[in-house]
Amino acid sequence: MPVSFLMEALGGLGLFILGMKFMSEGLQKLAGEKLRQVLEKVTGNRLTAALTGSALASLLQSGSTASIIVIGFVNAGLISLYQALAVLLGTGLGTTIAIQFIAFKISFFALPIIFVGVILRCFSSRRRWVNAGTLLLGAGLVFFGLHLMENGFAPLQNNTLIHGLGQHFLSWRLPAMLLGAVLSFLMQSSSAAIGIVIAVASSGLIGFDTAVAMVIGESLGSSLIAAIASINGTLAAKRTALIYIIVNLIAISLAMIVFPLFLQLVRSFSPGEADLTVRGIQTLNVSPLASETKPFIARHLANAHTIFTAFSVFLFLPLVGFFARSASIIVPGREGEGDMDPRPRFLDHRVVNTPTIALLQAKNEIKRMAQVAGTMFLEMAEQFNSFNVRTASRLKQKEELLDILQRDISAFLITLSRQQLSTENAMEIPALLQLINDLEHLGDQVEAIMEYMRRKKEDKLRFSGAAMSEIRTLSALVSQVVTVAVGSLDTLPISSDRNDLEKVMAEIESTLATLHLSHIKRLHSGKCSVIAGLLFSDIIASFEKIAQIAYNTIKTSRELK
């Protein structure tokens, strides 16, 4: 095989992948502004959910990317396991639309489409036309890259080693199916993977039967990608991913059992003969030569994927309720068992190109961060009744968790800020970064109070009954503000009245003033030692900082809403 043909094949693959990326970006920017709103409105109707999944996969030009986003929504608690399974089944239909588009192989129009796309993308002043240009540029690159791949792979037919591998090893259904799954997993895109299979099959490198088995295996690769996305997720996300794998394995097994009948069905719905070979001079090639191609096999492979996907949807969509009810048996456990897992639970860097989804993930991680900080405060307040070493150790772990979340969420938001964002989304990022820092500072102050309490116990310092009563009173007032701060980061509207909050803050300031006066009197009367007095002052100062941090958090969250 001359090096020029290898370069042509690799260049075609690169252009094909780049074209898929441009098409995805163009479609998302043209129709993706309401992506989150559409998914949030998915109801319990399984048919509506499946159609939503189909639209999502078509919009993203990738069923794998769509499945990652669906897992993200399960993590965020926006859709249930029942809804997610229906949406995931529908993503296959969306992938089919993209594959049918690729299979038309209108290579003759590839270069003119690229030209029009570049003109719109580079010289138009309107954002909509720029996005349309990106879409056209991607479509042209897809067809041109596909054509180059076919021409580059064609000489491999004459290679004895490759020909023998294709005829013997890949002629077995199972290896071919697994190879399709691996290709889909590595490409991170079902559409791109099947596009490569179409190019290889059209060049005559593999037979029709082998190509169909690889197309069927694509669904397993997509489900494995969803499983990887759920590793750090909630229990519901893990259940969704595992059931999705089980569904695909059952569908693939059934298709493999009736494989000859499946091939016959594909042939009956497809034009021409799949293995018909045409010899002629190819157009648009980098290295012109007479080569053999199979003009009808692309339509057959696209139809094979459509039939397999439709079969899966019609068979398993009615069973979504059964799988949802069986989820707790398949993957036992209770939600919330991994609350102390020192990793982000909702963040997925693979959806950074979809800002609305990425921002939603960040907000849910910040909400988790706020809940950790809130429980830290409540557990710390209990230490004034009875100091517990185990609780102190657990609070230390939670503070370390807050540090990790601050680092990872901040890095995620900084990466997101480098994308093309709408004005509204761009303005949210600084506010979210401020919230993250405030919550981490709140955890630092809780840890500081715990350190003061530890010193008090170890040094056997005593506070008077009046001093302990004053601390408990102040703690109760600050607790009200912290509770509102944690609740303000929820997805629900803030229920607390602004005037009530201002009254609590005013009462905290008044209580602090009273505490300082009482503390000075106790020092003067000798009821409190100097060392114990300094520790008391440090505790009061930390409570004051916590109240102010919580108040700032409430104001920032209200601005975001």
Side-chain angles (χ1 to χ4, degrees):
M1 181 181 180
V3 175
S4 62
F5 293 112
L6 176 61
M7 295 302 175
E8 187 174 346
L10 293 177
L13 176 60
L15 289 175
F16 180 80
I17 294 172
L18 181 63
M20 294 294 295
K21 184 176 186 297
F22 277 154
M23 282 181 62
S24 176
E25 289 178 358
L27 279 170
Q28 287 184 62
K29 291 172 182 176
L30 279 172
E33 292 298 325
K34 296 184 178 180
L35 179 61
R36 186 183 74 182
Q37 291 87 335
V38 169
L39 277 180
E40 286 178 338
K41 292 178 181 178
V42 173
T43 62
N45 186 306
R46 66 191 78 186
L47 179 60
T48 305
L51 292 175
T52 302
S54 175
L56 179 62
S58 298
L59 183 66
L60 297 172
Q61 289 293 292
S62 171
S64 303
T65 304
S67 65
I68 290 172
I69 290 177
V70 172
I71 293 297
F73 269 78
V74 177
N75 268 331
L78 292 176
I79 57 177
S80 65
L81 188 151
Y82 173 91
Q83 295 167 324
L85 288 175
V87 174
L88 287 171
L89 285 172
T91 58
L93 295 174
T95 303
T96 282
I97 297 172
I99 294 167
Q100 290 287 353
F101 172 74
I102 294 171
F104 279 108
K105 296 172 60 179
I106 48 177
S107 304
F108 180 79
F109 299 101
L111 295 179
I113 291 173
I114 291 173
F115 174 76
V116 174
V118 170
I119 293 296
L120 291 176
R121 180 180 168 88
C122 297
F123 300 103
S124 179
S125 57
R126 297 185 62 182
R127 178 178 295 183
R128 182 169 291 275
W129 286 111
V130 172
N131 295 335
T134 302
L135 174 60
L136 288 175
L137 175 60
L141 289 174
V142 163
F143 290 122
F144 187 51
L146 195 63
H147 182 83
L148 292 180
M149 277 195 290
E150 290 178 14
N151 290 345
F153 286 129
L156 282 176
Q157 299 176 63
N158 302 320
N159 185 291
T160 305
L161 178 62
I162 299 296
H163 184 75
L165 181 65
Q167 290 296 317
H168 298 286
F169 179 72
L170 289 181
S171 63
W172 303 343
R173 300 172 198 169
L174 183 59
M177 184 274 292
L178 293 176
L179 181 59
V182 170
L183 184 61
S184 177
F185 181 79
L186 294 178
M187 292 295 297
Q188 296 282 296
S189 171
S190 308
S191 306
I194 296 180
I196 294 173
V197 175
I198 289 175
V200 174
S202 297
S203 68
L205 192 59
I206 58 175
F208 173 60
D209 295 11
T210 300
V212 170
M214 292 178 69
V215 167
I216 291 175
E218 165 274 328
S219 61
L220 178 59
S222 296
S223 58
L224 290 176
I225 293 171
I228 295 297
S230 70
I231 287 177
N232 294 331
T234 61
L235 184 60
K238 293 175 182 176
R239 286 171 173 169
T240 301
L242 182 58
I243 293 175
Y244 186 43
I245 291 176
I246 292 172
V247 166
N248 280 311
L249 284 174
I250 294 173
I252 291 172
S253 300
L254 292 175
M256 291 290 103
I257 291 171
V258 296
F259 196 69
L261 294 177
F262 181 76
L263 293 179
Q264 189 59 41
L265 183 63
V266 172
R267 289 190 176 100
S268 65
F269 279 95
S270 306
E273 179 59 38
D275 287 320
L276 176 68
T277 301
V278 175
R279 185 175 179 82
I281 301 295
Q282 299 298 321
T283 59
L284 299 178
N285 12 358
V286 174
S287 306
L289 81 165
S291 61
E292 296 180 349
T293 60
K294 297 180 178 180
F296 297 114
I297 197 169
R299 304 290 326 137
H300 281 70
L301 294 179
N303 291 341
H305 186 272
T306 300
I307 293 170
F308 175 75
T309 302
F311 162 76
S312 299
V313 171
F314 288 126
L315 178 63
F316 293 107
L317 197 58
L319 301 176
V320 165
F322 166 76
F323 282 113
R325 290 190 296 271
S326 305
S328 58
I329 300 174
I330 297 173
V331 185
R334 291 183 300 174
E335 200 68 69
E337 290 179 347
D339 285 344
M340 290 301 294
D341 188 11
R343 294 173 295 180
R345 179 184 297 173
F346 303 105
L347 303 185
D348 190 335
H349 285 268
R350 287 169 290 192
V351 301
V352 130
N353 291 327
T354 310
T356 51
I357 308 297
L359 276 173
L360 185 64
Q361 289 186 345
K363 288 177 181 177
N364 277 280
E365 203 67 67
I366 293 172
K367 176 184 172 183
R368 177 191 173 202
M369 194 175 179
Q371 291 170 344
V372 172
T375 57
M376 279 184 69
F377 180 87
L378 295 177
E379 290 179 14
M380 175 273 294
E382 290 296 321
Q383 298 300 290
F384 288 102
N385 296 321
S386 176
F387 187 85
N388 188 296
V389 177
R390 290 185 178 179
T391 301
S393 177
R394 185 167 62 249
L395 289 177
K396 177 65 176 177
Q397 292 178 354
K398 289 187 176 182
E399 201 281 327
E400 291 173 353
L401 172 60
L402 289 181
D403 290 341
I404 293 171
L405 292 179
Q406 180 198 28
R407 180 198 64 200
D408 291 348
I409 302 173
S410 298
F412 183 80
L413 289 174
I414 294 300
T415 302
L416 180 61
S417 68
R418 299 187 182 120
Q419 306 296 315
Q420 284 188 335
L421 304 174
S422 65
T423 304
E424 181 182 354
N425 289 341
M427 293 177 64
E428 283 187 331
I429 291 179
L432 293 176
L433 288 171
Q434 182 61 49
L435 279 176
I436 296 166
N437 291 332
D438 285 344
L439 291 171
E440 197 278 330
H441 292 330
L442 193 152
D444 287 343
Q445 292 304 317
V446 170
E447 185 184 25
I449 294 176
M450 287 303 299
E451 177 62 19
Y452 300 145
M453 294 293 292
R454 184 190 63 78
R455 284 171 51 191
K456 174 180 176 294
K457 182 178 181 62
E458 291 181 355
D459 295 344
K460 298 181 180 180
L461 300 175
R462 296 184 59 85
F463 288 173
S464 65
M468 291 301 296
S469 177
E470 289 170 352
I471 288 177
R472 294 190 185 100
T473 300
L474 179 61
S475 175
L477 289 172
V478 175
S479 177
Q480 295 180 40
V481 185
V482 171
T483 301
V484 175
V486 173
S488 69
L489 294 173
D490 205 337
T491 53
L492 300 175
I494 301 172
S495 58
S496 62
D497 185 79
R498 188 183 299 271
N499 293 330
D500 291 342
L501 184 61
E502 296 295 340
K503 289 179 182 177
V504 174
M505 291 301 295
E507 190 173 354
I508 289 174
E509 291 182 8
S510 175
T511 302
L512 284 168
T514 303
L515 260 63
H516 285 302
L517 289 174
S518 301
H519 176 54
I520 292 172
K521 290 180 180 178
R522 284 193 296 270
L523 285 172
H524 283 189
S525 63
K527 294 181 179 179
C528 180
S529 67
V530 174
I531 296 177
L534 292 174
L535 204 59
F536 180 86
S537 297
D538 289 338
I539 292 173
I540 298 305
S542 290
F543 271 115
E544 184 178 7
K545 290 176 182 177
I546 290 173
Q548 190 59 51
I549 292 170
Y551 183 69
N552 292 338
T553 299
I554 295 168
K555 290 198 299 183
T556 305
S557 62
R558 278 176 168 154
E559 290 172 2
L560 286 171
K561 294 184 180 183

